[in-house]
């Protein structure tokens, strides 16, 4: 046996990172355990160390205390270098509470304005598409604006004598606070609802800059912008204008505009044509599940909520899958890959690549396959196999 120490180990900067761990609900604890197992392997082959602090927030904590995420906890989370998040959601908690007051609260108040979702088809992972040209692109979803702001109102006017309705709305972000009043009148007496989308030019520009920089960093030749400017002109012509302006700073990267309906068709027909795809918050939410679907399912779909100058949160795209809770059958790869993106964002690009290579190698070997892949391997066996690959690759065993 020849042992070669690869530069990946030698060049890692010696550093300690504090990681806030939120396992959350359902399969959250199981997948996070495997994510941390792989990070432990990374620690052992590099000079980098992680100290973890666990936070209990999620359904159990909410059901026991009525508290979702206190502001004091948010301030504590902000003291860490990164947040590693499993999943939130539980059938005993009405929909919306944990999503809005936990996940979105962290994203918004820590100004994690980039939602990065790599779409990559790994070896021996089956795509439902007949595609032999490979799938390897990035979705960047604007993560703090658009229709994700809670501003809206439901007007129950059937039992109200006045047709004229007024309400005051407010939203708060790290960059600004918005106050909007609605004064509305319908000339029929029927219940109705209004939801407002809001986008700022600066909010869009910073996402485009990140997208073009990512294209350069990852060697992608094109950035595709997604919108629906033909039907929702106010929001999305602002988006387009900002995109065109920022694109001028990157003459080496080509650009295109697509409507969101059309892009869903192109994801299915020609996924190989995409490099970086940038979308407003709501469309980005939708197309990223489609991206996961065409590249083998949510088990492989990693994600990151990034504030390039602040504290970022790394979480798989999938949810808490309550019916699989405690069964040790969920695929931990999405979480493990999210941990890899965390390393990259912390400035440890080589270690991030090591994690991705370890995942690729295990999938290429095609021995350890979880239930979603038609196999019988458990969550922990998949984590063990990937951690073992981290050691193997970094030792360069022949
Ligand atoms: C996602 C999820 C969330 C979103 C929910 C849980 C708030 O669907 O991360 O894609 O809509 O952003
Ligand atoms: Mg989603």
């Amino acid at each position: 046996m020849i042992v070669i120490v690869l530069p990946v180990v030698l060049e890692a900067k010696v550093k300690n990172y504090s990681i806030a761990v939120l396992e959350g609900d359902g399969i959250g604890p199981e997948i996070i355990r495997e994510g941390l197992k792989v990070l432990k392997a990374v620690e052992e082959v590099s000079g980098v160390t992680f100290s973890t602090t666990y936070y209990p927030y999620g359904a159990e904590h909410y059901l026991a205390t009525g508290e979702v995420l206190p502001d004091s906890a948010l301030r504590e989370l902000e003291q860490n270098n990164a947040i590693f998040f499993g999943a939130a959601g539980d059938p005993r908690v009405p929909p919306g509470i944990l999503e809005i007051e936990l996940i979105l609260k962290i994203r918004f108040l820590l100004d994690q304005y980039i939602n990065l979702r790599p779409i990559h088809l790994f070896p021996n992972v089956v795509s439902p598409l007949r595609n032999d040209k490979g799938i390897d692109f990035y979705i960047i979803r604007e993560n703090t604006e658009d229709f994700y702001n809670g501003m809206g109102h439901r007007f129950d006017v059937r039992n109200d004598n006045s047709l004229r309705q007024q309400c005051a709305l407010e939203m708060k972000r790290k960059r600004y606070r918005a106050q909007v009043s609605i004064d509305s009148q319908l000339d029929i007496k029927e219940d109705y609802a209004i939801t407002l989308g809001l986008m700022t030019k600066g909010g869009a520009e910073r996402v485009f800059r990140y997208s073009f920089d990512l294209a350069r960093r990852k060697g992608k030749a094109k950035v595709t912008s997604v919108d629906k400017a033909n039907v929702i002109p106010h929001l999305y012509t602002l988006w387009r204008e900002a995109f065109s302006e920022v694109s001028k700073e990157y003459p080496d990267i080509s650009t295109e505009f697509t409507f969101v309906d059309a892009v869903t068709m192109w994801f299915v027909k020609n996924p190989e044509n995409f490099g970086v795809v940038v979308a407003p918050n709501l469309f980005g939410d939708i197309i990223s599940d489609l991206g996961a679907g065409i590249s083998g399912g949510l088990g492989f779909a990693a994600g990151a909520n990034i504030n390039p100058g602040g504290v970022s949160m790394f979480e798989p795209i999938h949810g808490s899958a309550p019916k699989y809770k405690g069964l040790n059958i969920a695929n931990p790869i999405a979480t493990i890959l999210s941990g890899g993106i965390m390393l990259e964002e912390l400035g440890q690009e080589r270690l991030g690549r090591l994690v991705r290579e370890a995942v690729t190698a295990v999938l290429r070997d095609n021995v350890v396959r979880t239930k979603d892949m038609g196999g019988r391997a458990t969550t922990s066996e998949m984590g063990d196999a990937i951690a073992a690959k981290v050691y193997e690759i970094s030792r360069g065993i022949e």
Side-chain angles (χ1 to χ4, degrees):
M1 187 176 81
I2 306 165
V3 178
I4 309 163
V5 178
L6 292 183
V8 62
V9 178
L10 296 180
E11 287 181 20
K13 279 174 244 136
V14 179
K15 207 159 173 184
N16 179 263
Y17 296 102
S18 58
I19 312 291
V21 179
L22 275 97
E23 301 171 294
D25 310 314
I27 58 169
E30 298 157 57
I31 53 174
I32 283 288
R33 187 185 64 217
E34 302 313 310
L36 291 173
K37 185 185 280 174
V38 172
L39 289 181
K40 184 91 204 141
V42 169
E43 259 188 341
E44 285 174 17
V45 302
S46 68
V48 166
T49 54
F50 306 101
S51 37
T52 50
T53 312
Y54 282 72
Y55 290 86
Y57 303 108
E60 293 302 340
H61 184 80
Y62 170 70
L63 291 168
T65 64
E67 170 186 81
V68 181
L69 179 74
D71 291 345
S72 57
L74 196 66
R75 282 191 292 276
E76 264 187 59
L77 290 177
E78 218 174 356
Q79 301 310 308
N80 291 276
N81 295 112
I83 303 167
F84 201 20
F85 189 97
D90 185 292
R92 292 167 298 166
V93 180
I97 294 181
L98 297 169
E99 290 86 342
I100 294 172
E101 291 174 41
L102 181 61
I103 303 179
L104 296 183
K105 184 171 178 180
I106 297 174
R107 290 180 186 171
F108 296 160
L109 296 185
L110 299 191
D111 204 22
Q112 295 164 343
Y113 60 89
I114 300 294
N115 190 308
L116 174 65
R117 298 182 156 180
I119 306 300
H120 181 79
L121 183 61
F122 285 93
N124 297 311
V125 175
V126 180
S127 167
L129 306 182
R130 260 186 306 166
N131 169 287
D132 49 14
K133 298 191 187 115
I135 300 177
D136 183 46
F137 62 93
Y138 294 86
I139 294 176
I140 292 176
R141 162 184 176 194
E142 194 289 317
N143 214 22
T144 63
E145 300 193 307
D146 195 36
F147 288 103
Y148 272 62
N149 60 44
M151 286 201 295
H153 195 77
R154 193 187 144 136
F155 299 94
D156 289 330
V157 296
R158 262 176 316 181
N159 304 315
D160 195 327
N161 286 331
S162 152
L163 284 179
R164 185 161 175 211
Q165 300 289 323
Q166 284 162 308
C167 74
L169 306 171
E170 194 183 354
M171 77 179 259
K172 196 166 167 279
R173 292 293 180 271
K174 202 136 190 168
R175 285 179 68 228
Y176 58 85
R177 203 172 109 199
Q179 287 169 289
V180 179
S181 14
I182 297 185
D183 186 338
S184 78
Q185 189 161 337
L186 260 62
D187 63 0
I188 50 168
K189 215 165 175 10
E190 202 167 303
D191 293 351
Y192 63 101
I194 293 178
T195 285
L196 296 181
L198 187 146
M199 199 171 279
T200 58
K201 191 92 179 277
E205 282 168 355
R206 62 184 186 169
V207 173
F208 297 136
R209 263 192 203 100
Y210 187 94
S211 306
F212 283 102
D213 286 338
L214 184 82
R216 278 188 181 159
R217 208 157 22 104
K218 300 290 183 186
K220 300 290 182 195
K222 184 174 70 181
V223 177
T224 303
S225 164
V226 174
D227 64 49
K228 190 76 186 173
N230 49 345
V231 176
I232 308 175
H234 307 99
L235 275 185
Y236 301 130
T237 52
L238 182 88
W239 170 266
R240 280 194 175 209
E241 206 178 288
F243 182 82
S244 298
E245 284 170 22
V246 171
S247 72
K248 294 197 185 93
E249 299 164 24
Y250 300 84
D252 51 317
I253 308 286
S254 69
T255 59
E256 72 183 350
F257 287 110
T258 52
F259 293 129
V260 62
D261 47 350
V263 91
T264 59
M265 182 191 67
W266 292 118
F267 272 18
V268 171
K269 282 185 93 168
N270 296 102
E272 71 281 2
N273 285 352
F274 294 101
V276 172
V277 178
V278 57
N281 211 343
L282 180 58
F283 299 151
D285 177 44
I286 298 165
I287 66 169
S288 53
D289 274 30
L290 176 60
I294 61 172
S295 55
L298 287 164
F300 301 90
N305 303 281
I306 299 172
N307 175 344
V311 181
S312 303
M313 172 163 74
F314 301 85
E315 60 164 324
I317 295 186
H318 64 69
S320 58
K323 67 177 175 189
Y324 298 132
K325 179 187 166 118
L327 300 182
N328 200 25
I329 55 172
N331 188 345
I333 288 182
T335 309
I336 291 170
L337 290 169
S338 303
I341 306 176
M342 175 162 79
L343 293 170
E344 265 189 62
E345 286 298 318
L346 289 171
Q348 301 289 348
E349 289 87 1
R350 283 169 171 275
L351 297 180
R353 216 177 312 139
L354 172 63
V355 170
R356 195 167 143 130
E357 277 166 19
V359 169
T360 309
V362 167
L363 293 169
R364 195 176 291 123
D365 291 350
N366 206 18
V367 176
V368 184
R369 296 173 68 86
T370 40
K371 188 174 153 62
D372 59 323
M373 302 174 70
R376 290 171 174 218
T378 61
T379 309
S380 30
E381 282 165 354
M382 182 57 95
D384 288 343
I386 295 167
K389 275 290 179 204
V390 166
Y391 294 115
E392 203 179 305
I393 295 172
S394 60
R395 277 191 218 113
I397 292 172
E398 284 193 359

